[in-house]
Amino acid sequence: MAKTESKMPVHVAVTMDGNGRWATKQNLPRTKGHQEGLKTAKRIVKAASDAGVKYLTLYTFSTENWKRAQEEVGFLMNLIHVHLIGELQFYKDNGIRICHTGDISALPKNIQDDLNDAMDKTKDYTGLTLNLAINYGGRDEIVRGIRKIAEKGIKPEDITENLVRQNLDMEGCPDVDLLIRTGGEFRLSNFLLWHVAYAEMVFTDTLWPDYTEEEFLNNLKSFGNRNRRFGKEK
C-alpha cells in the first residue's frame, strides 16, 4: 500500500481498557466506570464516523470476561442490552451499520435478539461499520473457523489463507490497519489475532473513560505518519 493510501486507516480496532481502574481512582464502584466507558465509546464512534473511518471494531466483552464477578458480568450484559435498544436512533442518524464479532450463540437470549435486531435495522447503511466484539476471543474465533472448514469436508491441501479468512467472523471486513489500546497495558489480550497481522499499534496510558476525541484523532494522525511496508523494502 502506498503511503498516500495510508493517511487514514480504513479499519481501526480499539481495546477499551481501564474502566475499573478509573472507577477505583474516583472511589466509585466498578460499574460506574463501565457506565462512563460506554459514554466514551459513543463519542469515539461518532468521531470515527466523522473522520471517515470505514470500520471500527470495539473490544466490548471478551470470552475471558465471563470469569469476572457474576454481579459485574450481569451489569455489563444489561448495559449492552440498554445501549443497543436506547442508541439505535443514534446509529440510524449517523448511517452506522452494526455488526457483531464473536460467538453469539453463548450470549443471553435477549442480547442475541438485540444484536440481531440492530444488525437487521442498520444493514443497508453505508457509513461507518461498527463491529461490536461481544463474547469474542481471537483463539476462539480461529477454532470456530477451523471447525466450519472441517464440517465442509474440505481437503487439507485445499485450505488456503483466503479460505480461512472466509470462515472467520469478519468476512468481507478488511484487516485492521490501526489497533489502539488504552489503559497503559502493552498486550493484545486475545483480540483479533488473525486480523492484526500487519496492524500499526498505539498504546496509551489514558484510562478509557478519560480517552477523548482529540486523542483519538491524534492517534489517527500518528498512523498517517508511519511507513507501512508489509514485509517489503520501501
Side-chain angles (χ1 to χ4, degrees):
M1 184 182 294
K3 189 171 183 180
T4 54
E5 297 173 333
S6 302
K7 290 185 178 179
M8 175 61 66
V10 174
H11 186 180
V12 178
V14 183
T15 300
M16 306 177 291
D17 195 17
N19 290 340
R21 282 173 287 154
W22 179 90
T24 299
K25 287 178 65 175
Q26 310 291 328
N27 292 317
L28 296 170
R30 288 176 60 87
T31 52
K32 183 62 176 177
H34 295 309
Q35 288 176 324
E36 291 301 313
L38 186 57
K39 295 177 184 177
T40 299
K42 182 177 177 179
R43 292 195 299 268
I44 297 306
V45 168
K46 183 66 165 64
S49 177
D50 290 346
V53 173
K54 294 300 183 183
Y55 297 86
L56 177 67
T57 300
L58 299 181
Y59 206 3
T60 307
F61 189 91
S62 76
T63 49
E64 290 76 31
N65 286 156
W66 296 109
K67 300 174 185 177
R68 294 186 178 185
Q70 187 175 356
E71 181 181 356
E72 184 175 359
V73 170
F75 181 86
L76 287 168
M77 288 295 115
N78 186 64
L79 201 61
I80 292 169
H81 168 69
V82 171
H83 174 78
L84 287 170
I85 294 175
E87 297 296 344
L88 191 57
Q89 190 60 48
F90 164 76
Y91 294 122
K92 289 182 177 180
D93 291 343
N94 290 279
I96 296 171
R97 180 169 68 105
I98 302 295
C99 290
H100 172 257
T101 298
D103 184 2
I104 195 171
S105 67
L107 289 169
K109 180 62 166 57
N110 66 323
I111 303 297
Q112 293 184 41
D113 292 341
D114 295 337
L115 282 167
N116 286 325
D117 184 61
M119 288 189 287
D120 181 65
K121 289 180 177 176
T122 63
K123 64 183 179 182
D124 295 324
Y125 296 156
T126 58
L128 173 72
T129 292
L130 176 62
N131 285 309
L132 297 175
I134 305 174
N135 193 32
Y136 176 84
R139 290 180 174 178
D140 178 72
E141 178 190 19
I142 293 170
V143 168
R144 287 185 289 106
I146 293 171
R147 286 174 178 164
K148 290 177 187 177
I149 294 171
E151 288 168 358
K152 296 173 183 176
I154 296 172
K155 296 179 180 179
E157 59 268 26
D158 293 330
I159 297 175
T160 64
E161 182 177 318
N162 189 50
L163 178 66
V164 174
R165 182 188 302 276
Q166 290 172 1
N167 285 276
L168 296 178
D169 290 348
M170 297 197 296
E171 182 186 0
C173 181
D175 281 346
V176 174
D177 296 304
L178 174 64
L179 172 67
I180 300 169
R181 178 166 187 157
T182 64
E185 304 290 355
F186 297 86
R187 55 178 177 266
L188 292 177
S189 295
N190 201 20
F191 187 38
L192 301 177
L193 300 181
W194 177 280
H195 312 279
V196 299
Y198 278 99
E200 298 296 320
M201 299 184 185
V202 170
F203 298 94
T204 172
D205 290 334
T206 306
L207 301 177
W208 179 246
D210 292 329
Y211 189 71
T212 64
E213 299 95 314
E214 181 181 7
E215 185 169 359
F216 176 70
L217 294 175
N218 284 336
N219 292 158
L220 298 187
K221 290 179 182 178
S222 172
F223 171 87
N225 292 325
R226 299 190 186 189
N227 178 24
R228 306 182 75 199
R229 298 188 298 275
F230 298 93
K232 306 174 191 176
E233 289 297 327
K234 184 176 178 182

